Amino acid sequence: ETGVTQSPTHLIKTRGQQVTLRCSSQSGHNTVSWYQQALGQGPQFIFQYYREEENGRGNFPPRFSGLQFPNYSSELNVNALELDDSALYLCASSLGEGGEQYFGPGTRLTVT
Amino acid sequence: AQSVAQPEDQVNVAEGNPLTVKCTYSVSGNPYLFWYVQYPNRGLQFLLKYITGDNLVKGSYGFEAEFNKSQTSFHLKKPSALVSDSALYFCAVRDNTGGSYIPTFGRGTSLIVHP
């Protein structure tokens, strides 16, 4: 059984650019949730994908968007990057929307 | 609306002593409560959860937590701390009423266990 993996590990972007982060869910899991963890803060829920449909969204603007693929892997896209987007982005997979979440190691995004 | 408070930014304890990391919550309906641990440069690892039933929940690595509905608390405890328990601990709550699956995390408490 493979765990949740995320790529890349680290990323540096310039303000105004676009970024795509990737997540492979744990084997057997059909739900992926994305979180933003700013330095010194707890994770904040961005959105959740269940069976390829967005199923719940936190207080994030539309420039944060996502996809879930038939194999349940997922992408987080952020357009028009701002300095405040610098954070650790965590992906978590689960079996069903309310299932126990298993987190990946995260992608550290730095916006300069 | 739901919220979580972890009133201590840092908890210091000597190895072998009991530890407590505090968490209080607020939800409109019935709470699902969780504790996670985060080691440097790692994602969150699940420790334990409370959904219903016995107020004392036992989890991984010898940790346990006590659900107290009247005080709206869910404190994390361990009878004997290890240096390897030093990490960042997060409490999270989810309102189980109305089919919402969005959790709210606290800001985290840094646990430092001294040899």
Side-chain angles (χ1 to χ4, degrees):
Chain A
E1 180 181 277
T2 56
V4 180
T5 60
Q6 293 185 244
S7 62
T9 306
H10 296 90
L11 201 53
I12 299 175
K13 289 287 189 178
T14 303
R15 189 172 50 184
Q17 287 187 315
Q18 179 266 343
V19 69
T20 297
L21 310 182
R22 294 178 176 83
C23 171
S24 291
S25 60
Q26 183 163 311
S27 177
H29 286 182
N30 57 10
T31 305
V32 172
S33 302
W34 285 93
Y35 296 84
Q36 180 194 68
Q37 185 179 12
L39 201 60
Q41 303 292 322
Q44 286 202 339
F45 178 80
I46 302 175
F47 44 54
Q48 181 184 80
Y49 278 83
Y50 173 62
R51 292 184 176 181
E52 303 179 56
E53 296 286 333
E54 186 179 294
N55 176 43
R57 188 178 182 92
N59 189 26
F60 280 83
R63 59 190 185 83
F64 285 78
S65 63
L67 283 173
Q68 188 179 31
F69 300 99
N71 66 354
Y72 303 125
S73 65
S74 177
E75 287 183 353
L76 165 65
N77 299 290
V78 187
N79 293 321
L81 283 167
E82 301 177 359
L83 296 179
D84 285 348
D85 295 334
S86 295
L88 180 68
Y89 288 84
L90 296 166
C91 163
S93 74
S94 59
L95 182 58
E97 305 121 297
E100 187 175 305
Q101 296 190 338
Y102 292 79
F103 284 80
T107 293
R108 174 73 63 185
L109 173 65
T110 302
V111 182
T112 62
Chain B
Q2 60 192 34
S3 65
V4 172
Q6 293 182 242
E8 303 152 316
D9 289 337
Q10 184 171 302
V11 169
N12 291 277
V13 64
E15 187 174 33
N17 283 0
L19 69 88
T20 299
V21 183
K22 295 179 180 178
C23 171
T24 58
Y25 67 90
S26 174
V27 292
S28 302
N30 297 319
Y32 276 13
L33 293 155
F34 306 83
W35 275 102
Y36 291 87
V37 60
Q38 186 176 36
Y39 295 98
N41 301 314
R42 300 281 294 276
L44 274 65
Q45 295 179 33
F46 171 81
L47 281 179
L48 51 80
K49 66 182 176 185
Y50 171 83
I51 296 176
T52 188
D54 194 349
N55 288 345
L56 184 64
V57 179
K58 294 190 182 295
S60 306
Y61 314 118
F63 284 93
E64 58 188 28
E66 186 169 9
F67 171 66
N68 188 317
K69 187 174 183 178
S70 63
Q71 296 185 2
T72 61
S73 67
F74 189 56
H75 301 331
L76 181 70
K77 301 182 179 184
K78 187 173 182 180
S80 179
L82 299 172
V83 172
S84 58
D85 292 331
S86 298
L88 196 54
Y89 289 81
F90 291 96
C91 180
V93 68
R94 203 179 84 197
D95 190 339
N96 192 38
T97 310
S100 171
Y101 302 109
I102 299 175
T104 297
F105 284 79
R107 292 185 55 172
T109 298
S110 177
L111 173 66
I112 300 175
V113 181
H114 302 277

